[in-house]
Amino acid sequence: MRDLYQAQRAMRAMRRAALQRGVVAVLDVGSSKIACLVLRFEAEVPREDGLGALAGQSQFRVIGAATTRARGMRFGEVDAMQETERAIRTAVQAAQKMAQTRVDHVIACFSGARPRSYGLAGDVQILDGQVSEQDVARVLAACDVPDFGPGREVLHAHPVNFAIDHRSGFTDPRGHVGNRLATDMHLLTIDTQAVQNLIYCIRRCDLEIAGFASSAYVSGLSSLVEDEQELGAACIDIGGGSTGISVFIKKHMIFAETIRLGGDHVTLDISKGLQVPLATAERMKTIHGGVQATGMDDREMIEIGGDSGDWEKDRRRVSRTELIGIMRPRVEEIFEEARAILDAAGFDQLPSQQIVLTGGGSQIPGLDLLAARILGQSVRLGRPLRVQGLPQVATGAPFSATVGLCLFAANPQDEWWDFEIPAERYPARSLRRAVKWFKDNW
Amino acid sequence: MRTLRAPRRPAAPTAPRRDPAPSRLAFRAERLWLTPGFRRALRLGLPLLLVTGLAGGYLADGGRRAALQADLADLRLSVENRPEFMVGLMAIDGASPPVARAIRKMLPVTLPVSSFRLDLPAFRAAIEQIDAVASADLQVRKGGVLQVVVRERVPVILWRGRAGLEMLDATGHRVATLLDRTARGDLPVIAGVGADQAVGEALEVLAAAGPVTPRIRGLVRMGERRWDVVLDRDQRILLPEERPVAAMQRVAALDQAEDLLGRDIAVVDLRNEMRPTIRLAGTEAMGTADSEVVGQ
């Protein structure tokens, strides 16, 4: 835990340096596309009334955007390192070219790596009657960390709630008077290997990593509106190779999980079922696809085509109903998995059970009707928040994770490593090591 | 029966947009090019270096440098000697003929000359060295005319000093030497050491004399501090050091009322304001006491 704490702190320092420099790139490494946005952070110009434009969202501006087909990614994880590196290079170079500036710091997100959520609780006696920064640090350190096994690493650790004695629901307990301080923390762990592979790919492109995020988390940040985040909502980000689910309440993520199923599987089903190449299947899915068959669809015939030279094979036609018949079971499967995960997470206990579908897969026509049957009545399709300077092509649902990453970069939520280190845990050796360093080098 | 025309073929699925990945080298080169410092160095520093290098290399040879300097000097000379810049005439306004002659003699260069060669401030300073000149304005006018506008000093008083008779202006500055007193009979005369320092006071005293004026022969500065008014018939009025004008007015009033100066009086002594004194003529010869009359 200590190493990770230090590593995340170092990443935070790197991000602060990047923000001071003013230019930072966000990189959404997905399994079907890799998107890179270059953000320019502008110095906050205080207005006369003390408010910022667009409630503070205008502190950055997208000056470069590029998308490229993902290569070498499966289920949101790096599969072929060289290919992924090349794809990242392509996206970063195109975005740099559009921005006409060089970026050195990258904030990345990815959907795979098997995230797992843990709820942690810790409590501590307040030392001098009033909660100080040190008490907050101590209570966070006092959380009993579950044994999540080797090869796992903590990606997010959000203090969700603070309680003092019997009063709960504090977001900032500093200065309150009481005896016991308790906290609830949400911990998200991921596979170390998967993230290390991605770090390696990004490092190979001469880029410094200034932050990591789970794409389920950031797409929730961008596609859930404020009251949904406050009252409780789940964001289902249907991507290419995986589907991310995140649950928010009181503006904090309390649960995140990934299903290793996505739009690519639907394409694969079409390809297999109709015996067409993947490119044709993808095209049929995006142009004619759907999940709700009507009588009209029986009469709508789709030319499949083929380049075999065989007249019978090249003249094949299917009705749209058949296509829907292939797509629907797979989409249902994704939703059923999501339903099972949400049930296991206790989503039905939340006061509001809004479900927001986003991501590239959510563009299938009729998806919200199907989702409403499986996931509950309050389902809507979500698109990401608007940010300044974002090109029109990048404002759709497939870019909710990318836009969310911008928001994550601009105003991140406090995580465990943003708080002070408890005084008793301060390594005594560090001062000695500093003295030694001076002796060795001067 | 089968149709002979094939049904319209579906548009072939477009090949995915080509975006070939850049090589590592190309990627690095582009990043280097997008680095602002590197870019500035290449776009500004490199041409600058090239130009300075070429110029420096050319000028490293002494012969080339000298030739360049000679060329520049020639160019400068040819521009200076253009007829537009030549000054051929000097016009002097406001100066009397002798002063104008002196100014013409003082011009350090012979006309015609290029206006670049004329050092007007120095020439003006030289002109203003002449005593008779109060100030001078110099201007090179169109048509190659050097216009000199002179304001001369106006003599208001004559000073008989050790060197002879000199004309002074109102500030006591020397204007010229006068050889013949009768040439400027209209000007009053002052004499004595330091009289030129107090010309203003002398003029005030003379103005206050009023009806006595025709009888005044001159003013004598006594001990560089006070005035004696010398009248004809060897009469003298001794004025005090302070407020001489009031004393002179007093004498003028006395003269008008009592015909003081018409009497046989040699000296009217007003040096002590509280105790004016007169001395009768011929008392030196008599050498007796009781020659003073205590004032009115």
Side-chain angles (χ1 to χ4, degrees):
Chain A
M1 283 300 279
R2 292 240 53 83
D3 290 348
L4 169 95
Y5 188 89
Q6 300 299 349
Q8 292 276 18
R9 261 188 114 89
M11 224 184 258
R12 268 301 144 99
M14 184 82 79
R15 197 189 61 205
R16 206 164 299 130
L19 293 197
Q20 245 172 19
R21 200 187 250 199
V23 176
V24 68
V26 300
L27 193 66
D28 174 18
V29 187
S31 24
S32 69
K33 68 158 173 41
I34 291 182
C36 178
L37 300 183
V38 180
L39 309 183
R40 166 170 292 150
F41 286 84
E42 276 137 18
E44 194 75 22
V45 183
R47 290 193 332 189
E48 280 166 13
D49 50 4
L51 295 172
L54 292 177
Q57 299 289 356
S58 66
Q59 56 182 306
F60 66 87
R61 186 178 179 83
V62 179
I63 55 169
T67 313
T68 185
R69 189 166 47 85
R71 289 88 121 173
M73 295 286 292
R74 278 178 69 207
F75 306 123
E77 292 162 16
V78 179
D79 186 43
M81 305 274 279
Q82 313 294 324
E83 289 290 315
T84 306
E85 183 204 325
R86 255 176 238 154
I88 291 174
R89 235 192 277 147
T90 314
V92 170
Q93 188 181 34
Q96 275 182 351
K97 194 165 186 175
M98 179 171 163
Q100 279 299 305
T101 183
R102 172 197 172 123
V103 283
D104 290 318
H105 298 91
V106 158
I107 298 175
C109 80
F110 53 94
S111 51
R114 299 180 185 274
R116 214 173 291 155
S117 279
Y118 298 90
L120 271 57
D123 60 354
V124 78
Q125 199 74 30
I126 297 168
L127 286 181
D128 50 354
Q130 208 173 15
V131 180
S132 65
E133 305 238 350
Q134 271 300 317
D135 289 320
V136 177
R138 276 172 48 238
V139 74
L140 291 174
C143 288
D144 43 351
V145 178
D147 178 23
F148 36 70
R152 305 283 295 176
E153 215 162 302
V154 178
L155 183 64
H156 293 294
H158 293 129
V160 176
N161 184 26
F162 287 100
I164 298 170
D165 293 340
H166 298 291
R167 293 169 295 152
S168 183
F170 291 104
T171 49
D172 184 2
R174 285 174 304 170
H176 280 271
V177 178
N179 294 316
R180 277 197 92 64
L181 178 66
T183 186
D184 299 313
M185 188 148 71
H186 172 239
L187 200 72
L188 193 72
T189 66
I190 46 163
D191 271 346
T192 311
Q193 290 173 347
V195 70
Q196 274 177 352
N197 287 344
L198 188 63
I199 288 176
Y200 179 75
C201 288
I202 294 175
R203 287 262 160 83
R204 287 265 298 167
C205 299
D206 306 335
L207 298 166
E208 295 281 351
I209 294 164
F212 258 122
S214 159
S215 85
Y217 169 50
V218 291
S219 59
L221 277 186
S222 74
S223 58
L224 297 184
V225 297
E226 200 165 337
D227 57 318
E228 288 169 346
Q229 282 185 8
E230 181 71 34
L231 298 174
C235 172
I236 300 182
D237 179 7
I238 308 170
S242 60
T243 298
I245 298 171
S246 56
V247 180
F248 280 73
I249 189 163
K250 289 195 165 182
K251 304 217 170 124
H252 284 287
M253 177 175 67
I254 54 166
F255 178 79
E257 176 76 86
T258 297
I259 310 165
R260 288 158 83 80
L261 280 174
D264 286 353
H265 297 86
V266 179
T267 310
L268 203 63
D269 285 347
I270 297 170
S271 171
K272 282 175 180 165
L274 301 178
Q275 303 208 329
V276 289
L278 271 178
T280 315
E282 179 72 30
R283 182 183 156 78
M284 284 173 70
K285 182 183 83 172
T286 51
I287 293 178
H288 305 288
V291 286
Q292 293 281 353
T294 60
M296 179 64 190
D297 293 333
D298 282 332
R299 298 195 292 278
E300 189 179 332
M301 301 305 281
I302 305 163
E303 296 280 346
I304 295 176
D307 276 332
S308 63
D310 178 46
W311 200 88
E312 291 293 344
K313 186 172 163 78
D314 289 358
R315 286 293 162 275
R316 282 177 304 158
R317 302 165 88 190
V318 293
S319 67
R320 186 162 177 237
T321 311
E322 279 175 278
L323 182 66
I324 288 171
I326 294 170
M327 289 173 69
R328 185 172 168 121
R330 184 60 85 171
V331 178
E332 276 177 351
E333 188 191 351
I334 294 173
F335 283 142
E336 271 156 15
E337 289 266 350
R339 174 81 262 165
I341 285 170
L342 287 177
D343 283 346
F347 181 64
D348 46 358
Q349 306 294 321
L350 295 189
S352 152
Q353 293 170 23
Q354 180 73 44
I355 287 175
V356 176
L357 303 176
T358 185
S362 71
Q363 290 168 312
I364 303 173
L367 191 76
D368 45 345
L369 296 175
L370 179 62
R373 288 190 178 187
I374 300 170
L375 296 171
Q377 280 309 310
S378 50
V379 173
R380 72 172 180 94
L381 295 176
R383 330 171 102 251
L385 206 78
R386 297 190 175 190
V387 293
Q388 268 193 317
L390 196 68
Q392 180 65 36
V393 289
T395 53
F399 290 87
S400 58
T402 320
V403 173
L405 203 54
C406 299
L407 303 182
F408 173 77
N411 24 14
Q413 286 182 312
D414 283 341
E415 303 214 25
W416 178 37
W417 32 84
D418 293 328
F419 294 91
E420 282 185 21
I421 302 175
E424 58 261 32
R425 290 260 201 116
Y426 240 116
R429 291 185 304 120
S430 66
L431 195 66
R432 227 173 295 150
R433 212 188 299 157
V435 171
K436 183 174 178 299
W437 184 86
F438 260 95
K439 272 186 185 164
D440 291 348
N441 288 283
W442 295 88
Chain B
M1 201 177 132
R2 247 179 204 165
T3 54
L4 291 175
R5 282 240 305 263
R8 210 158 56 79
R9 308 192 81 189
T14 48
R17 197 165 55 82
R18 264 175 62 80
D19 51 350
S23 68
R24 255 174 99 76
L25 197 66
F27 181 70
R28 283 197 175 152
E30 176 147 352
R31 278 169 68 78
L32 190 65
W33 179 238
L34 286 175
T35 310
F38 177 79
R39 205 169 169 148
R40 214 173 303 132
L42 215 63
R43 289 173 57 170
L44 200 75
L46 201 67
L48 211 67
L49 202 72
L50 213 68
V51 167
T52 49
L54 282 176
Y58 180 76
L59 291 179
D61 183 26
R64 287 200 201 119
R65 238 179 2 244
L68 205 66
Q69 274 169 0
D71 281 355
L72 279 177
D74 279 355
L75 189 69
R76 192 188 157 85
L77 207 65
S78 70
V79 171
E80 278 179 2
N81 288 340
R82 287 183 70 80
E84 291 87 348
F85 298 126
M86 297 302 278
V87 175
L89 273 175
M90 182 157 71
I92 298 172
D93 279 358
S96 55
V99 173
R101 243 190 331 276
I103 289 172
R104 277 184 202 289
K105 224 176 278 176
M106 284 171 76
L107 185 66
V109 290
T110 51
L111 297 176
V113 71
S114 164
S115 61
F116 288 98
R117 301 281 177 75
L118 277 176
D119 187 1
L120 292 185
F123 188 38
R124 176 171 173 218
I127 290 173
E128 285 181 348
Q129 289 289 313
I130 300 176
D131 282 331
V133 175
S135 69
D137 288 325
L138 271 71
Q139 185 188 7
V140 175
R141 277 212 330 235
K142 224 159 50 173
V145 177
L146 175 61
Q147 175 82 38
V148 182
V149 179
V150 171
R151 220 153 43 72
E152 284 201 0
R153 291 184 198 280
V154 183
V156 292
I157 212 159
L158 301 178
W159 180 37
R160 191 176 292 281
R162 207 164 292 153
L165 205 56
E166 281 177 349
M167 295 191 280
L168 303 184
D169 72 349
T171 62
H173 196 281
R174 179 185 173 277
V175 177
T177 306
L178 196 66
L179 298 175
D180 183 11
R181 169 73 177 94
T182 53
R184 295 303 300 264
D186 55 328
L187 297 183
V189 182
I190 54 174
V193 179
D196 57 332
Q197 306 294 324
V199 170
E201 205 177 50
L203 289 172
E204 282 175 33
V205 168
L206 287 169
V212 187
T213 311
R215 293 196 50 205
I216 293 179
R217 300 282 301 277
L219 269 67
V220 181
R221 190 72 171 164
M222 303 300 285
E224 292 191 43
R225 58 189 176 88
R226 63 173 200 86
W227 291 105
D228 268 8
V229 182
V230 179
L231 308 180
D232 54 358
R233 295 199 345 241
D234 284 342
Q235 282 182 329
R236 260 176 188 258
I237 303 167
L238 278 55
L239 295 178
E241 194 172 341
E242 278 165 19
R243 306 207 293 147
V245 178
M248 190 66 218
Q249 279 167 347
R250 196 170 164 188
V251 171
L254 267 180
D255 180 45
Q256 198 135 35
E258 308 279 345
D259 190 22
L260 176 68
L261 300 172
R263 298 167 193 240
D264 194 13
I265 289 171
V267 172
V268 180
D269 185 354
L270 291 166
R271 285 174 295 180
N272 188 343
E273 194 181 351
M274 304 304 297
R275 194 165 159 271
T277 310
I278 53 170
R279 193 190 305 150
L280 297 175
T283 44
E284 298 95 338
M286 289 186 348
T288 58
D290 288 334
S291 59
E292 290 182 349
V293 177
V294 175
Q296 305 150 333

